[in-house]
Amino acid sequence: IVSSDAVVAEGKLKPVFAANLSFQARGIVETVSVKIGDSVSKGDVLARLHSSAQAAKAQKAQAALQSVEASIKKAEANLEKARAVLAQRQEANRRKQELVSRRVVSDQAAEEAQRDEEVAKGDLAVAASEVDVAKAQFSDARAQYAFERAILDQHVLVAPFDAVVVD
């Protein structure tokens, strides 16, 4: 006894999904990692554009970001220093004003102490604004780095889903 469940038929197979892929960036193709008939999985690298110039731009943006991070730390240290100087000048001014009222120091010394305190307040305001400027520069540098990395990522063509390369 012979049984066969085979069906013989002619026809065409059509893919469930098809995609014509291209790079988002312009450039010279450096490598093609697949050939017609290859099976690929979602995320597999299919091809790469020459990217050394863009990689350098991304590295430069990253270095600028690190530089701005250091600038923030420096500005914050200067702010702390300005706070300490102000506290010192306020205490000195308080003592001088007390001593001038008892005629232990001159009016000029008391006026100088008052002026020094006012200068220290101004220095504190400048130091605080330098922190704000550095933080704004950080936001800009972070955005620039993300932009350059995004362009660099566009130099790689990846499979959007599991497939067989047909063209």
Side-chain angles (χ1 to χ4, degrees), residues 54 57-65 137-154:
Q54 186 58 40
K57 287 180 182 179
Q59 287 175 334
K60 182 178 178 184
Q62 184 178 27
L65 182 60
Q137 289 171 337
F138 177 78
S139 294
D140 181 56
R142 183 177 50 206
Q144 186 64 37
Y145 176 63
F147 174 75
E148 298 298 350
R149 284 294 313 170
I151 292 174
L152 183 60
D153 291 345
Q154 293 174 1

Side-chain angles (χ1 to χ4, degrees), residues 17-19 21 32-47 157-167:
F17 297 105
L21 304 178
V32 176
S33 306
V34 295
K35 59 186 182 307
I36 294 175
D38 285 353
S39 292
V40 295
S41 298
K42 180 179 180 177
D44 284 354
V45 173
L46 306 176
L157 187 64
V158 297
F161 45 79
D162 295 349
V164 174
V165 178
V166 293
D167 229 355

Side-chain angles (χ1 to χ4, degrees), residues 13-154:
L13 294 175
K14 291 189 175 184
V16 176
F17 297 105
N20 290 320
L21 304 178
S22 62
F23 290 97
Q24 291 180 320
R26 299 178 87 174
I28 298 169
V29 175
E30 187 173 80
T31 59
V32 176
S33 306
V34 295
K35 59 186 182 307
I36 294 175
D38 285 353
S39 292
V40 295
S41 298
K42 180 179 180 177
D44 284 354
V45 173
L46 306 176
R48 292 180 189 275
L49 294 178
H50 183 71
S51 61
S52 61
Q54 186 58 40
K57 287 180 182 179
Q59 287 175 334
K60 182 178 178 184
Q62 184 178 27
L65 182 60
Q66 290 169 341
S67 176
V68 173
E69 286 175 330
S71 294
I72 289 173
K73 290 178 183 176
K74 180 180 177 184
E76 287 173 341
N78 285 338
L79 179 60
E80 288 305 310
K81 178 181 175 184
R83 285 183 178 134
V85 169
L86 176 59
Q88 178 188 30
R89 299 284 164 81
Q90 286 174 325
E91 180 59 25
N93 184 35
R94 184 193 61 73
R95 283 192 320 266
K96 293 269 173 103
Q97 299 309 320
E98 184 180 302
L99 293 173
V100 80
S101 68
R102 293 187 296 175
R103 297 283 180 213
V104 175
V105 297
S106 67
D107 288 342
Q108 181 180 356
E111 289 169 6
E112 287 174 359
Q114 180 66 40
R115 184 201 64 227
D116 289 347
E117 181 180 335
E118 295 304 316
V119 169
K121 285 179 183 177
D123 289 345
L124 179 63
V126 169
S129 69
E130 287 173 350
V131 170
D132 293 340
V133 168
K135 287 180 178 178
Q137 289 171 337
F138 177 78
S139 294
D140 181 56
R142 183 177 50 206
Q144 186 64 37
Y145 176 63
F147 174 75
E148 298 298 350
R149 284 294 313 170
I151 292 174
L152 183 60
D153 291 345
Q154 293 174 1

